[in-house]
Amino acid sequence: MLRIIDARDGEPTGVRPGLVRVHAHVTGADTAALRVLLMADVLARALELGGTPVVTVAAPSTSLRERADALGIRPAEPDAPGLGRALHVVGAGHTAPDGVRIEVAPATGPADTAASPSAVRLALLARPRRHPVDLDPAALTAAHDTLGRWRGAVADWAVHPSRPIPEQVRQELRAAWEDDLDVPAVLEVLGRVEGDDDLPAGARFETYAYADRLLGLDLAREIGARA
């Protein structure tokens, strides 16, 4: 069961099965607002992976919606009053209506970066959501390099027979994202799997494909491109 730290009192709260509304509260179109939308998207993905139906609610400006589309952040409903339990994703220090409040620290960086949208998405996810993040050249380069390496590895693993995800690895992934949406811990698990030559290639492929349902990084993009 997903456990989220409620910013109202700092206490963990479990999200039990049943319809959930994930509200992303954003104003403006800066990178901080983009990060709020991204964390709402990942939260919805985590809930869906656990079998919980989700309605995402947000009303971004046109320019912010365009940036969100580029990052693969799924569209939201403008409103969904009264449906299910409400989880509110907000920027640090922002208020929200009654309900669990999930705070996201500020993010800084230009809107017109030359980095790929996937690299921006990974750079925003690589830091814990309660820690500020700066999309400086070093962070974007690191994200770009990691994506290139992982996509290449996934393409190589894909030509091998499929093998099941080791149960311990599956549990580590779920334990990470169910613990207050700890995406950096998910990335750490993938880093260990990448370097574990004792794992069959097919199992590593399935692990990355499974984790990408949460991350939304299009890690399978290069499959077939090397033929």
Side-chain angles (χ1 to χ4, degrees):
M1 180 174 63
L2 182 67
R3 297 173 302 280
I4 289 289
I5 300 297
D6 190 342
R8 296 175 300 175
D9 56 16
E11 294 296 324
T13 182
V15 183
R16 300 189 179 280
L19 180 61
V20 171
R21 281 176 292 139
V22 174
H23 286 257
H25 296 269
V26 291
T27 57
D30 61 7
T31 304
L34 184 67
R35 193 185 192 194
V36 170
L37 283 182
L38 175 59
M39 294 314 301
D41 180 64
V42 174
L43 174 59
R45 289 168 180 261
L47 290 166
E48 289 169 350
L49 281 166
T52 297
V54 181
V55 176
T56 305
V57 180
S61 65
T62 300
S63 58
L64 181 58
R65 183 66 259 171
E66 290 174 353
R67 294 185 70 188
D69 289 343
L71 263 63
I73 297 171
R74 297 177 296 183
E77 299 295 330
D79 199 4
L83 291 178
R85 182 182 186 184
L87 303 178
H88 299 279
V89 185
V90 301
H94 290 203
T95 60
D98 290 342
V100 176
R101 190 163 72 242
I102 300 156
E103 282 193 350
V104 179
T108 55
D112 59 350
T113 175
S116 71
S118 294
V120 173
R121 184 176 178 113
L122 177 55
L124 288 172
L125 292 176
R127 293 276 293 169
R129 63 175 175 81
R130 291 194 298 276
H131 294 189
V133 61
D134 181 17
L135 297 183
D136 60 16
L140 292 171
T141 297
H144 175 271
D145 292 348
T146 298
L147 274 176
R149 193 177 70 249
W150 282 359
R151 285 172 171 169
V154 168
D156 290 340
W157 297 332
V159 303
H160 294 268
S162 178
R163 293 289 186 271
I165 302 171
E167 187 57 31
Q168 179 180 349
V169 173
R170 185 187 295 273
Q171 290 179 5
E172 288 176 353
L173 288 171
R174 293 195 67 91
W177 73 60
E178 289 181 351
D179 181 15
D180 197 33
L181 206 61
D182 191 350
V183 179
V186 173
L187 299 175
E188 289 177 7
V189 174
L190 293 185
R192 293 198 300 271
V193 168
E194 177 190 16
D196 189 351
D197 293 333
D198 291 333
L199 281 180
R204 288 192 273 184
F205 171 81
E206 295 295 344
T207 298
Y208 271 62
Y210 178 59
D212 203 33
R213 293 169 61 188
L214 175 86
L215 300 171
L217 294 171
D218 198 12
L219 295 177
R221 191 179 74 177
E222 293 187 12
I223 292 177
R226 301 185 175 191

